[in-house]
């Protein structure tokens, strides 16, 4: 299949409508990474196609009537570390990725994926450790938090997460064993999160 990025023959409304729909689902402060996660399996124009069409992501947001996001290229590791400590002070605990993204929308901080990439080599847990923050205890997860994490992971992947993808210990979320202990099964957890379930192996 041809790369959809050029797609210059599509009307502007095709591009702006996908951004408007994402804003309706995730809020107007959604980041580029959020759009990539939800657009991949919906047949929407890619983020690359949108920026190529309008010249920049912020210009595309402006065309869709959405507020502009602050430019994030200047964030250094030291700045990210200070912001993580500020988030921890504000929350009274070490932030998980979901906490961070809620604050990022208010304060113009980078998305958690940017923090993980620049400070933790792709891992939120390593970013927390490199910032010198204590790792979040793994025994105090609530049903609401787990549901929110499942939904956030589904948005990022473009599909519901599978149990084996939560095998690895991560301070930013419970393990699949903790999830199944809480809900009774992995599919039961997905159902509670209003996500599509997977057929059990034969």
């Amino acid at each position: 299949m041809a790369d959809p990025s050029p797609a210059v023959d599509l009307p502007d409304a095709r591009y702006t409508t996908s951004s408007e729909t994402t804003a309706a689902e995730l809020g107007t402060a959604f980041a580029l990474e959020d759009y990539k996660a939800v657009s991949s399996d919906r047949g929407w124009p890619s983020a690359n196609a949108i920026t190529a069409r309008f010249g920049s992501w912020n210009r595309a947001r402006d065309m869709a009537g959405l507020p502009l996001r602050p430019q994030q290229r200047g964030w250094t590791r030291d700045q990210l570390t200070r912001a993580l400590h500020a988030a921890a002070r504000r929350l009274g605990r070490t932030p998980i990725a979901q906490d961070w993204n809620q604050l990022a929308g208010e304060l113009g901080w980078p998305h958690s994926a940017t923090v993980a990439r620049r400070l933790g080599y792709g891992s939120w847990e390593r970013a927390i450790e490199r910032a010198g923050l204590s790792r979040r205890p793994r025994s105090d997860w609530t049903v609401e938090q787990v549901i929110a994490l499942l939904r956030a992971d589904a948005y990022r992947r473009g599909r519901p997460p599978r149990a084996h993808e939560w095998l690895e210990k991560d301070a930013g979320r419970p393990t699949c064993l903790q999830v199944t202990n809480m809900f009774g099964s992995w599919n039961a957890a997905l159902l509670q999160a209003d996500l599509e379930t997977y057929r059990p192996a034969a």
Side-chain angles (χ1 to χ4, degrees):
M1 181 180 294
D3 187 324
S5 296
V8 295
D9 58 329
L10 294 177
D12 286 351
R14 173 74 183 278
Y15 295 88
T16 57
T17 298
S18 61
S19 296
E20 291 165 353
T21 303
T22 305
E25 292 182 10
L26 304 182
T28 58
F30 73 89
L32 180 62
E33 291 86 354
D34 297 319
Y35 178 82
K36 290 179 179 178
V38 300
S39 64
S40 59
D41 65 340
R42 300 188 183 188
W44 290 351
S46 70
N48 287 342
I50 291 177
T51 53
R53 179 64 166 243
F54 296 105
S56 72
W57 183 246
N58 260 343
R59 174 62 178 157
R61 290 179 63 86
D62 187 45
M63 290 295 291
L66 301 174
L68 303 186
R69 290 183 61 87
Q71 296 299 315
Q72 300 169 356
R73 293 180 180 177
W75 284 83
T76 65
R77 290 179 178 177
D78 186 52
Q79 289 172 322
L80 292 174
T81 296
R82 290 200 301 270
L84 281 168
H85 280 269
R89 288 192 299 271
R90 184 164 178 162
L91 294 167
R93 56 178 170 76
T94 299
I96 61 174
Q98 180 198 8
D99 297 326
W100 173 272
N101 287 335
Q102 289 176 344
L103 292 175
E106 299 174 24
L107 304 174
W109 290 347
H111 191 270
S112 60
T114 300
V115 179
R117 183 174 64 252
R118 295 184 184 178
L119 195 60
Y121 302 104
S123 165
W124 179 259
E125 182 177 0
R126 283 195 295 269
I128 290 296
E129 290 175 347
R130 293 196 67 195
L133 294 172
S134 60
R135 298 171 67 174
R136 181 187 174 96
R138 298 191 183 94
S139 59
D140 60 349
W141 297 103
T142 66
V143 169
E144 292 76 16
Q145 287 172 329
V146 175
I147 287 174
L149 287 167
L150 285 167
R151 289 173 177 168
D153 198 8
Y155 276 128
R156 186 170 61 253
R157 297 176 189 274
R159 60 166 176 78
R162 298 178 184 275
H164 70 84
E165 293 167 334
W166 283 37
L167 279 173
E168 183 180 352
K169 292 182 178 179
D170 187 324
R173 58 164 173 73
T175 64
C176 62
L177 179 59
Q178 289 173 302
V179 174
T180 55
N181 286 340
M182 181 179 291
F183 292 92
S185 71
W186 184 258
N187 272 343
L190 295 180
L191 283 172
Q192 285 292 312
D194 296 321
L195 297 173
E196 201 172 320
T197 59
Y198 291 101
R199 181 178 300 176

